[in-house]
Amino acid sequence: MSLTETRYTIGEVAERTGLSAHTLRWYERIGLMPHVDRSHSGQRRFSDRDLDWLAFVGKLRATGMAVADMVRYAELVRAGDHTFGERRELLERTRREVLARIDELTGTLAVLDRKIGIYTGKARS
């Protein structure tokens, strides 16, 4: 860490990410967050790297990935480069699940569009 690296309090990170301080503490407790540095008084001090990680975790959450899988992924990252294969498999499985949900939502959207067309008198018979 350089002496000029920006550090953020838990409140600042909560404001930047939209996550509550409680959620940030929980992420750390369950192993989803890497070790967060502490100030001399014991306050958490998050780095830009921590913010990047939280942004990625937010994307994983948006995929619908289970918390247990996110924690497993975090463990694999901390374990090192030899886990690339297992990380890739986990992400590929999640990608397949996202694509299946997109297909399902596309079909649902088509049904909604048809119904909206009926109600607006623009349906094609």
Side-chain angles (χ1 to χ4, degrees):
M1 173 181 86
S2 73
L3 295 176
T4 61
E5 185 176 8
T6 305
R7 292 296 184 171
Y8 307 93
T9 66
I10 197 165
E12 291 169 329
V13 172
E15 186 175 316
R16 286 174 176 261
T17 63
L19 298 169
S20 69
H22 174 78
T23 297
L24 292 166
R25 288 185 202 99
W26 181 65
Y27 279 5
E28 188 178 6
R29 190 171 57 251
I30 66 171
L32 188 53
M33 278 293 301
H35 169 76
V36 177
D37 288 335
R38 304 272 182 152
S39 68
H40 67 280
S41 62
Q43 291 182 316
R44 288 172 180 82
R45 293 292 181 198
F46 294 82
S47 67
D48 287 324
R49 187 173 179 184
D50 294 326
L51 291 177
D52 290 344
W53 175 256
L54 286 168
F56 179 67
V57 167
K59 297 297 184 191
L60 293 179
R61 286 180 56 223
T63 70
M65 181 184 275
V67 172
D69 286 340
M70 289 189 284
V71 170
R72 178 66 182 145
Y73 184 86
E75 290 168 348
L76 292 169
V77 169
R78 286 191 295 274
D81 291 352
H82 69 280
T83 65
F84 278 177
E86 193 173 347
R87 286 188 249 173
R88 187 191 72 245
E89 288 172 17
L90 183 57
L91 294 176
E92 286 174 346
R93 184 182 78 224
T94 301
R95 184 178 190 281
R96 286 189 301 272
E97 292 167 358
V98 168
L99 287 171
R101 281 206 334 272
I102 289 170
D103 286 344
E104 181 181 346
L105 288 172
T106 299
T108 301
L109 184 59
V111 169
L112 290 173
D113 288 344
R114 259 191 323 277
K115 287 293 188 181
I116 290 168
I118 290 168
Y119 293 133
T120 59
K122 295 182 181 178
R124 297 182 198 132
S125 299

